[in-house]
Amino acid sequence: MAKCRWAIGGTLALMFMCSAPSSPGADEKPAPDVKAPAAASGEAVFKMQEVSVFDQKEDPQTANFRMFGSAMASCTTKPATEVKAYPKLNSKRALYGMVVVNRDPEKPGPGTKCYFVLDESGTSEKAAEKPAEKSGEKAAEPKKSSGPRYDRLYFDANHDLDLSNDPAVSVMKDPPENAFQFLGNRENCQAFDTVAVQVGDEGAKDQTVRVLPVLIYNAGLETLYRGAGQVTFLPASARKGEIRLGSKAYTAVLMQPRGSIGRMNYASCPLMLTPVAGAKKAPAYPWLNSLGMVREADGEFYTISATPSGDKLTVQCYSGDRGVLEVSKGKRDIKEIGMAGLLQSKGSYLPLGDFSYMPTEKSKIAKYRLPVGDYMPAILNVTYGDLQVSLRADYTRSQGGKPASNMEIRNDKPYVLDFSEKPEVKFQGPPQDKVFQPGDNIRLAAMIAIPEKGLLIGGLDDLTKKVGEMKWTAEGKEMSAPRYESLEPTVVIADSAGKKLAQGKMPFG
Amino acid sequence: MPKDLKLSGNEETLIATVTYDTKDLYGKIEAKREIKLKKPEEEKEDKGEKTKK
């Protein structure tokens, strides 16, 4: 969407945001020691080992993904009425709380409630009086000498609402420093030992993921007791193993869901595949590293699913019908056409071509044979002669109850994108019924829609005019790509007599 | 919106015209949007134009 703000003085102030892209798709090559899959069109199950996310220091992608996951719980001095039984507590000022796990980021729901209580053993005050060097331990607790010392955690890991059958969790003696990377002041954080939370269906006790509880002393221990405390639960475990897609072998790292903790079988759970053959790493762009993404290898499409704990990955080769998606010149006299992008279908993503987040490279593939189904373009970058057109689903249609876009890929009829449909400019602002006063900020926002296709043009660049370089850092490397002139629309604002009051350019958004 | 913008009357409708040059894709596309303005109440009062309640 193009946005334009008419600022004081009658000039047009333009806003432009640019996100750093990831590198293009991996250059995957067959692993020399990998045999052809037992069943190219069948299903294969791979075991995944539990690993600590804090040990994956060599992998910046894992570190980046870690920051997205966590769940916070505020503490209170009152026990939860839902809890059937608490353990016998030593402290008279225990702190109670509840955290929600197993929340699918893409399907809002109640999740699973896990209650906990923080207790004081009464023994840590003496230990705290000793210098850390003499005790041979790192200072795992905040340097506070007064107020409560919560050194025991009871966590309802099996969520049976009975905390009396859960073991006391102690303060972690040597917490991983990178656990505190995104938690603010390290001195205010106290980590407990990791807890194995049951995430499987009832009775599946072996389906667990590990979380790291960190008590955060926001404003000192005294204030904490009055209810200002908070426990942040970080994902502590991931799963790692080797899997195959067709003849290619990959090291797979599966993580707990973004923005949450718990089950690893949600479509949005990060799943990074790194070719064993030593080719490039997978790009860091999040959508390209999700469990629910459809992957392509050796010309075949594969879907991957996981158990709740992630201890097994199942790779399924698509064997159904395929249909054609193509971009066409239509009646235009243009030479180069092609497209690359990311399609969405029922919670999963399908990358097209050598997709990069930024539409900087010319796409040369004009026709794809895809699994039949209904798709929506999350991003579709089309090279159309001297133009680069960035398309996406028209989300404004879904606000009116219609599907945002529906690219119907069928086996008997190609879906053709030839830009022959009539475009339409859609204004998103200012509201038509609103009356402004001089001095008000007015947000003028417009975009080109292709109503018949349910598409929006989110960007339009002239590939004959290079205007600079984009630079960014990805996986520790300096990257760059050409930046082409954006065919931004002009805006003229005139009064009722037709007198021009302001004019300027509006960026594509 | 400039604060010192003079309106022709208590209310005025401005027109914002947006023009895209999409070249080979669709050529030029133009669209217009009305922006309705009114004077602040205190300015109406200063000029004795405020409506009696």
Side-chain angles (χ1 to χ4, degrees), chain A residues 304-459:
Chain A
I304 306 175
S305 57
T307 52
S309 72
D311 63 343
K312 286 176 190 165
L313 284 187
T314 301
V315 176
Q316 175 89 45
C317 183
Y318 177 78
S319 58
D321 288 339
R322 295 191 188 198
V324 169
L325 167 65
E326 69 174 303
V327 59
S328 163
K329 297 172 187 175
K331 294 176 181 174
R332 294 175 181 83
D333 182 22
I334 53 176
K335 289 179 183 172
E336 292 179 284
I337 54 170
M339 61 183 156
L342 194 62
L343 302 182
Q344 196 177 359
S345 178
K346 293 177 184 172
S348 67
Y349 290 96
L350 173 68
L352 285 182
D354 194 7
F355 170 65
S356 171
Y357 184 55
M358 286 295 195
T360 54
E361 300 296 330
K362 288 184 180 179
S363 310
K364 292 175 182 168
I365 304 171
K367 187 186 282 188
Y368 294 88
R369 285 184 58 77
L370 308 177
V372 296
D374 295 341
Y375 296 87
M376 275 198 323
I379 297 174
L380 191 58
N381 297 327
V382 179
T383 300
Y384 211 66
D386 292 336
L387 299 173
Q388 183 80 282
V389 190
S390 182
L391 299 170
R392 61 201 62 174
D394 184 354
Y395 64 89
T396 64
R397 284 163 45 124
S398 57
Q399 290 165 356
K402 294 179 187 173
S405 170
N406 193 6
M407 301 175 83
E408 294 179 351
I409 306 295
R410 303 289 183 263
N411 60 353
D412 57 350
K413 187 181 176 188
Y415 182 97
V416 181
L417 196 57
D418 61 4
F419 301 100
S420 61
E421 300 84 4
K422 193 178 177 187
E424 177 185 305
V425 175
K426 279 192 174 182
F427 284 95
Q428 294 296 293
Q432 276 183 307
D433 53 353
K434 189 170 178 184
V435 180
F436 297 91
Q437 291 186 350
D440 285 347
N441 273 329
I442 299 175
R443 181 174 167 272
L444 183 69
M447 56 194 141
I448 306 177
I450 310 172
E452 219 171 292
K453 297 281 190 192
L455 297 171
L456 294 176
I457 298 180

Side-chain angles (χ1 to χ4, degrees), chain A residues 79-298:
Chain A
T81 54
E82 294 87 347
V83 172
K84 292 178 203 164
Y86 281 103
K88 189 181 177 185
L89 302 174
N90 189 54
S91 175
K92 291 179 181 174
R93 44 191 181 180
L95 284 178
Y96 301 83
M98 182 273 291
V99 66
V100 177
V101 303
N102 299 340
R103 205 173 241 170
D104 186 345
E106 295 193 358
K107 292 177 188 168
T112 307
K113 291 178 179 176
C114 291
Y115 292 87
F116 63 87
V117 59
L118 289 156
D119 189 23
E120 299 175 275
S121 69
T123 58
S124 58
E125 282 182 26
K126 290 179 183 175
E129 289 166 8
K130 298 176 186 175
E133 294 80 8
K134 288 186 180 178
S135 65
E137 296 171 1
K138 280 191 177 180
E141 295 178 52
K143 293 174 183 174
K144 292 280 181 182
S145 58
S146 62
R149 268 181 195 288
Y150 298 104
D151 57 357
R152 277 183 188 167
L153 170 74
Y154 295 92
F155 187 88
D156 189 19
N158 57 357
H159 32 89
D160 64 351
L161 300 175
D162 183 355
L163 276 69
S164 66
N165 60 19
D166 294 293
V169 182
S170 302
V171 170
M172 189 178 268
K173 290 181 178 174
D174 190 11
E177 280 305 311
N178 55 356
F180 306 102
Q181 197 174 347
F182 306 109
L183 293 180
N185 190 349
R186 166 71 182 88
E187 293 296 312
N188 292 341
C189 298
Q190 174 178 290
F192 288 84
D193 288 332
T194 59
V195 177
V197 185
Q198 286 186 20
V199 292
D201 295 330
E202 205 170 330
K205 292 181 180 176
D206 62 326
Q207 291 290 300
T208 61
V209 301
R210 288 203 161 268
V211 299
L212 175 73
V214 181
L215 174 59
I216 299 177
Y217 291 79
N218 286 329
L221 295 166
E222 297 82 2
T223 318
L224 170 66
Y225 176 56
R226 296 189 194 102
Q230 164 187 305
V231 179
T232 292
F233 294 84
L234 298 171
S237 65
R239 293 280 177 170
K240 196 170 188 176
E242 190 173 309
I243 70 167
R244 291 181 203 171
L245 305 183
S247 64
K248 296 186 176 77
Y250 300 84
T251 298
V253 176
L254 176 66
M255 305 193 72
Q256 293 181 42
R258 288 189 187 95
S260 181
I261 53 173
R263 284 181 184 160
M264 294 196 198
N265 60 347
Y266 299 135
S268 63
C269 284
L271 173 64
M272 284 149 287
L273 300 187
T274 305
V276 169
K280 288 184 211 168
K281 280 187 176 182
Y285 193 52
W287 277 336
L288 295 178
N289 292 288
S290 296
L291 177 64
M293 201 187 82
V294 178
R295 320 231 175 197
E296 190 180 3
D298 298 335

Side-chain angles (χ1 to χ4, degrees), chain B residues 10-48:
Chain B
N10 285 338
E11 294 184 359
E12 184 171 6
T13 299
L14 308 184
I15 303 289
T17 305
V18 178
T19 307
Y20 292 87
D21 183 359
T22 69
K23 298 193 181 291
D24 284 343
L25 201 62
Y26 297 117
K28 285 196 176 178
I29 308 171
E30 189 180 280
K32 294 180 188 295
R33 183 73 156 192
E34 290 186 347
I35 301 171
K36 292 172 185 163
L37 298 173
K38 69 173 182 181
K39 278 184 182 172
E41 289 298 315
E42 59 271 19
E43 283 188 27
K44 290 180 188 174
E45 196 169 34
D46 289 344
K47 294 179 182 177

